[in-house]
Amino acid sequence: SPVGFALDLRGSRLFEPQRRTSFCTGASYAALIGALDRLLPAGLEIPASAAESLAQREADGGRREDQVGFWGVWNGSGAGQVNALTRLTLAGDRVRPQEYRPGDFVQIFWNNGYGHSVVFLGWRVSGGTKRMRYWSSQKGTNGLGDQEVPVSRIRTVHGVRLTRPLEILAAPSGFFVYSMDPGDRPWSP
């Protein structure tokens, strides 16, 4: 399961969990949906087309493939959340590491080649080591939780800030393939 709990946006069920587990893009997506639920105007109904694009499963309950609809782009290879918010819907703006604020969505690419989708919480220096703090789903927290890592473990990052939440309601359905630039070096505070 992307996340171990149901996701609803203004009465539209976007996801019904099949188990209680989670993974990083599901966690960051749950944070996005929670933010949208608070940011969208009261009484606003979610268009059926947007609910379909935002859904994490197909109508028959099957797995939503990467690059299909808003969720599929968010969950897709590379910096999916950047593509979903800046290219697919124009709902967000890219931000450079030195401009990150708590709540920004960040795709981390580790030195070992793996990636991690997170919600940024802050930079800090501890014992002379520059560190990045974030919230996501990871083994180190046994699921959802905050984690802090030395910046030296990070090869590149891609950051995006949700700036125009209403634009997500125009999220198209279909198959979308995006590539990404190499990303930014993490900022050293």
Side-chain angles (χ1 to χ4, degrees):
S1 287
V3 70
F5 50 87
L7 284 182
D8 294 313
L9 181 59
R10 302 289 169 91
S12 292
R13 177 61 46 105
L14 303 178
F15 178 71
E16 186 70 45
Q18 295 180 330
R19 29 188 195 283
R20 298 191 47 83
T21 60
S22 60
F23 57 83
C24 64
T25 52
S28 63
Y29 194 70
L32 172 73
I33 299 303
L36 287 174
D37 209 36
R38 289 165 182 77
L39 292 171
L40 293 175
L44 179 71
E45 289 190 31
I46 306 304
S49 59
E52 201 304 301
S53 184
L54 292 164
Q56 289 180 294
R57 294 212 168 270
E58 295 297 337
D60 66 2
R63 180 186 184 277
R64 170 74 40 107
E65 294 297 325
D66 289 354
Q67 310 302 343
V68 174
F70 188 89
W71 159 250
V73 171
W74 186 278
N75 190 48
S77 297
Q81 66 272 59
V82 173
N83 289 324
L85 291 175
T86 64
R87 297 170 83 182
L88 186 67
T89 64
L90 306 177
D93 294 308
R94 274 274 323 248
V95 287
R96 300 275 178 218
Q98 60 269 34
E99 299 165 347
Y100 289 175
R101 295 191 307 224
D104 288 342
F105 298 99
V106 176
Q107 177 68 42
I108 298 171
F109 288 98
W110 304 110
N111 291 329
N112 67 9
Y114 291 102
H116 198 36
S117 176
V118 306
V119 178
F120 179 79
L121 298 177
W123 301 109
R124 77 181 195 102
V125 177
S126 174
T129 302
K130 296 167 181 111
R131 305 176 73 76
M132 180 179 170
R133 186 166 188 77
Y134 56 81
W135 178 89
S136 191
S137 177
Q138 55 268 321
K139 288 181 185 179
T141 57
N142 196 27
L144 302 173
D146 298 358
Q147 187 160 318
E148 189 173 282
V149 298
V151 169
S152 62
R153 289 186 47 206
I154 301 171
R155 182 185 51 178
T156 59
V157 290
H158 292 272
V160 65
R161 181 173 300 139
L162 177 65
T163 54
R164 295 171 295 282
L166 281 171
E167 293 293 327
I168 289 178
L169 300 182
S173 293
F175 184 79
F176 307 93
V177 178
Y178 295 111
S179 61
M180 280 307 288
D181 60 64
D184 301 310
R185 289 288 306 149
W187 182 57
S188 299

